[in-house]
PDB file of all heavy atoms in Angstrom:
ATOM      1  N   LEU A 165      -2.361 -25.225 -81.102  1.00 98.00           N
ATOM      2  CA  LEU A 165      -3.742 -25.722 -81.124  1.00 98.00           C
ATOM      3  C   LEU A 165      -3.959 -26.774 -80.064  1.00 98.00           C
ATOM      4  O   LEU A 165      -3.091 -27.576 -79.812  1.00 98.00           O
ATOM      5  CB  LEU A 165      -3.993 -26.382 -82.517  1.00 98.00           C
ATOM      6  CG  LEU A 165      -3.910 -25.434 -83.779  1.00 98.00           C
ATOM      7  CD1 LEU A 165      -4.170 -26.278 -84.928  1.00 98.00           C
ATOM      8  CD2 LEU A 165      -4.913 -24.291 -83.660  1.00 98.00           C
ATOM      9  N   HIS A 166      -5.111 -26.799 -79.417  1.00 98.00           N
ATOM     10  CA  HIS A 166      -5.553 -27.945 -78.651  1.00 98.00           C
ATOM     11  C   HIS A 166      -6.411 -28.838 -79.574  1.00 98.00           C
ATOM     12  O   HIS A 166      -7.143 -28.326 -80.393  1.00 98.00           O
ATOM     13  CB  HIS A 166      -6.321 -27.481 -77.470  1.00 98.00           C
ATOM     14  CG  HIS A 166      -5.527 -26.804 -76.414  1.00 98.00           C
ATOM     15  ND1 HIS A 166      -5.978 -26.632 -75.076  1.00 98.00           N
ATOM     16  CD2 HIS A 166      -4.311 -26.212 -76.472  1.00 98.00           C
ATOM     17  CE1 HIS A 166      -5.036 -25.970 -74.368  1.00 98.00           C
ATOM     18  NE2 HIS A 166      -4.015 -25.713 -75.278  1.00 98.00           N
ATOM     19  N   VAL A 167      -6.327 -30.173 -79.333  1.00 98.00           N
ATOM     20  CA  VAL A 167      -7.086 -31.125 -80.189  1.00 98.00           C
ATOM     21  C   VAL A 167      -7.799 -32.049 -79.242  1.00 98.00           C
ATOM     22  O   VAL A 167      -7.217 -32.798 -78.470  1.00 98.00           O
ATOM     23  CB  VAL A 167      -6.082 -31.816 -81.090  1.00 98.00           C
ATOM     24  CG1 VAL A 167      -6.891 -32.776 -82.070  1.00 98.00           C
ATOM     25  CG2 VAL A 167      -5.283 -30.900 -81.967  1.00 98.00           C
ATOM     26  N   MET A 168      -9.140 -32.039 -79.379  1.00 98.00           N
ATOM     27  CA  MET A 168      -9.966 -32.955 -78.623  1.00 98.00           C
ATOM     28  C   MET A 168     -10.805 -33.851 -79.461  1.00 98.00           C
ATOM     29  O   MET A 168     -11.192 -33.499 -80.610  1.00 98.00           O
ATOM     30  CB  MET A 168     -10.927 -32.116 -77.709  1.00 98.00           C
ATOM     31  CG  MET A 168     -10.321 -31.235 -76.669  1.00 98.00           C
ATOM     32  SD  MET A 168     -11.533 -30.309 -75.792  1.00 98.00           S
ATOM     33  CE  MET A 168     -10.602 -29.594 -74.439  1.00 98.00           C
ATOM     34  N   THR A 169     -11.103 -35.046 -78.968  1.00 98.00           N
ATOM     35  CA  THR A 169     -12.032 -35.920 -79.723  1.00 98.00           C
ATOM     36  C   THR A 169     -12.725 -36.881 -78.775  1.00 98.00           C
ATOM     37  O   THR A 169     -12.062 -37.696 -78.153  1.00 98.00           O
ATOM     38  CB  THR A 169     -11.220 -36.688 -80.811  1.00 98.00           C
ATOM     39  OG1 THR A 169     -12.165 -37.609 -81.499  1.00 98.00           O
ATOM     40  CG2 THR A 169     -10.075 -37.472 -80.214  1.00 98.00           C
ATOM     41  N   PRO A 170     -14.017 -36.744 -78.629  1.00 98.00           N
ATOM     42  CA  PRO A 170     -14.843 -37.588 -77.666  1.00 98.00           C
ATOM     43  C   PRO A 170     -15.111 -38.959 -78.250  1.00 98.00           C
ATOM     44  O   PRO A 170     -15.159 -39.170 -79.461  1.00 98.00           O
ATOM     45  CB  PRO A 170     -16.068 -36.798 -77.463  1.00 98.00           C
ATOM     46  CG  PRO A 170     -16.263 -36.109 -78.829  1.00 98.00           C
ATOM     47  CD  PRO A 170     -14.916 -35.775 -79.379  1.00 98.00           C
ATOM     48  N   SER A 171     -15.239 -39.911 -77.362  1.00 98.00           N
ATOM     49  CA  SER A 171     -15.718 -41.275 -77.813  1.00 98.00           C
ATOM     50  C   SER A 171     -16.985 -41.658 -77.084  1.00 98.00           C
ATOM     51  O   SER A 171     -17.601 -42.678 -77.430  1.00 98.00           O
ATOM     52  CB  SER A 171     -14.668 -42.347 -77.472  1.00 98.00           C
ATOM     53  OG  SER A 171     -14.567 -42.563 -76.040  1.00 98.00           O
ATOM     54  N   THR A 172     -17.472 -40.856 -76.140  1.00 98.00           N
ATOM     55  CA  THR A 172     -18.713 -41.108 -75.386  1.00 98.00           C
ATOM     56  C   THR A 172     -19.633 -39.933 -75.470  1.00 98.00           C
ATOM     57  O   THR A 172     -19.196 -38.791 -75.782  1.00 98.00           O
ATOM     58  CB  THR A 172     -18.439 -41.440 -73.919  1.00 98.00           C
ATOM     59  OG1 THR A 172     -17.937 -40.296 -73.277  1.00 98.00           O
ATOM     60  CG2 THR A 172     -17.330 -42.498 -73.814  1.00 98.00           C
ATOM     61  N   VAL A 173     -20.885 -40.162 -75.202  1.00 98.00           N
ATOM     62  CA  VAL A 173     -21.877 -39.118 -75.173  1.00 98.00           C
ATOM     63  C   VAL A 173     -21.514 -38.100 -74.091  1.00 98.00           C
ATOM     64  O   VAL A 173     -21.620 -36.873 -74.299  1.00 98.00           O
ATOM     65  CB  VAL A 173     -23.283 -39.711 -74.908  1.00 98.00           C
ATOM     66  CG1 VAL A 173     -24.311 -38.574 -74.564  1.00 98.00           C
ATOM     67  CG2 VAL A 173     -23.709 -40.524 -76.180  1.00 98.00           C
ATOM     68  N   ALA A 174     -21.171 -38.529 -72.918  1.00 97.00           N
ATOM     69  CA  ALA A 174     -20.777 -37.660 -71.831  1.00 97.00           C
ATOM     70  C   ALA A 174     -19.647 -36.706 -72.204  1.00 97.00           C
ATOM     71  O   ALA A 174     -19.666 -35.546 -71.946  1.00 97.00           O
ATOM     72  CB  ALA A 174     -20.446 -38.442 -70.582  1.00 97.00           C
ATOM     73  N   ASP A 175     -18.605 -37.322 -72.852  1.00 98.00           N
ATOM     74  CA  ASP A 175     -17.467 -36.455 -73.264  1.00 98.00           C
ATOM     75  C   ASP A 175     -17.773 -35.565 -74.431  1.00 98.00           C
ATOM     76  O   ASP A 175     -17.254 -34.380 -74.536  1.00 98.00           O
ATOM     77  CB  ASP A 175     -16.262 -37.356 -73.699  1.00 98.00           C
ATOM     78  CG  ASP A 175     -15.283 -37.692 -72.518  1.00 98.00           C
ATOM     79  OD1 ASP A 175     -15.506 -37.020 -71.447  1.00 98.00           O
ATOM     80  OD2 ASP A 175     -14.445 -38.502 -72.645  1.00 98.00           O
ATOM     81  N   ALA A 176     -18.756 -35.980 -75.347  1.00 98.00           N
ATOM     82  CA  ALA A 176     -19.151 -35.027 -76.392  1.00 98.00           C
ATOM     83  C   ALA A 176     -19.703 -33.773 -75.811  1.00 98.00           C
ATOM     84  O   ALA A 176     -19.331 -32.642 -76.259  1.00 98.00           O
ATOM     85  CB  ALA A 176     -20.203 -35.743 -77.219  1.00 98.00           C
ATOM     86  N   TYR A 177     -20.560 -33.869 -74.819  1.00 97.00           N
ATOM     87  CA  TYR A 177     -21.066 -32.681 -74.136  1.00 97.00           C
ATOM     88  C   TYR A 177     -19.954 -31.959 -73.370  1.00 97.00           C
ATOM     89  O   TYR A 177     -19.735 -30.742 -73.531  1.00 97.00           O
ATOM     90  CB  TYR A 177     -22.271 -32.990 -73.252  1.00 97.00           C
ATOM     91  CG  TYR A 177     -22.815 -31.817 -72.532  1.00 97.00           C
ATOM     92  CD1 TYR A 177     -23.785 -31.001 -73.168  1.00 97.00           C
ATOM     93  CD2 TYR A 177     -22.383 -31.489 -71.258  1.00 97.00           C
ATOM     94  CE1 TYR A 177     -24.261 -29.856 -72.518  1.00 97.00           C
ATOM     95  CE2 TYR A 177     -22.887 -30.335 -70.613  1.00 97.00           C
ATOM     96  CZ  TYR A 177     -23.765 -29.528 -71.213  1.00 97.00           C
ATOM     97  OH  TYR A 177     -24.270 -28.405 -70.623  1.00 97.00           O
ATOM     98  N   GLY A 178     -19.307 -32.650 -72.456  1.00 97.00           N
ATOM     99  CA  GLY A 178     -18.424 -32.027 -71.545  1.00 97.00           C
ATOM    100  C   GLY A 178     -17.223 -31.416 -72.172  1.00 97.00           C
ATOM    101  O   GLY A 178     -16.850 -30.291 -71.870  1.00 97.00           O
ATOM    102  N   LEU A 179     -16.616 -32.128 -73.142  1.00 98.00           N
ATOM    103  CA  LEU A 179     -15.394 -31.627 -73.830  1.00 98.00           C
ATOM    104  C   LEU A 179     -15.750 -30.416 -74.690  1.00 98.00           C
ATOM    105  O   LEU A 179     -14.964 -29.520 -74.763  1.00 98.00           O
ATOM    106  CB  LEU A 179     -14.715 -32.741 -74.621  1.00 98.00           C
ATOM    107  CG  LEU A 179     -13.943 -33.784 -73.788  1.00 98.00           C
ATOM    108  CD1 LEU A 179     -13.370 -34.838 -74.705  1.00 98.00           C
ATOM    109  CD2 LEU A 179     -12.853 -33.168 -72.853  1.00 98.00           C
ATOM    110  N   LEU A 180     -16.915 -30.459 -75.385  1.00 98.00           N
ATOM    111  CA  LEU A 180     -17.268 -29.300 -76.245  1.00 98.00           C
ATOM    112  C   LEU A 180     -17.526 -28.099 -75.360  1.00 98.00           C
ATOM    113  O   LEU A 180     -17.129 -27.023 -75.773  1.00 98.00           O
ATOM    114  CB  LEU A 180     -18.481 -29.691 -77.100  1.00 98.00           C
ATOM    115  CG  LEU A 180     -18.895 -28.602 -78.085  1.00 98.00           C
ATOM    116  CD1 LEU A 180     -17.769 -28.217 -78.968  1.00 98.00           C
ATOM    117  CD2 LEU A 180     -20.086 -29.085 -78.937  1.00 98.00           C
ATOM    118  N   ARG A 181     -18.129 -28.235 -74.203  1.00 97.00           N
ATOM    119  CA  ARG A 181     -18.323 -27.121 -73.349  1.00 97.00           C
ATOM    120  C   ARG A 181     -16.936 -26.520 -72.902  1.00 97.00           C
ATOM    121  O   ARG A 181     -16.797 -25.332 -72.874  1.00 97.00           O
ATOM    122  CB  ARG A 181     -19.170 -27.447 -72.163  1.00 97.00           C
ATOM    123  CG  ARG A 181     -20.610 -27.753 -72.418  1.00 97.00           C
ATOM    124  CD  ARG A 181     -21.384 -26.636 -72.983  1.00 97.00           C
ATOM    125  NE  ARG A 181     -21.239 -25.316 -72.292  1.00 97.00           N
ATOM    126  CZ  ARG A 181     -22.057 -24.942 -71.268  1.00 97.00           C
ATOM    127  NH1 ARG A 181     -22.999 -25.858 -70.918  1.00 97.00           N
ATOM    128  NH2 ARG A 181     -21.867 -23.899 -70.635  1.00 97.00           N
TER     129      ARG A 181
END
Side-chain angles (χ1 to χ4, degrees):
L165 300 178
H166 290 197
V167 183
M168 295 178 170
T169 178
S171 72
T172 68
V173 169
D175 269 351
Y177 178 85
L179 288 179
L180 184 54
R181 291 300 307 273

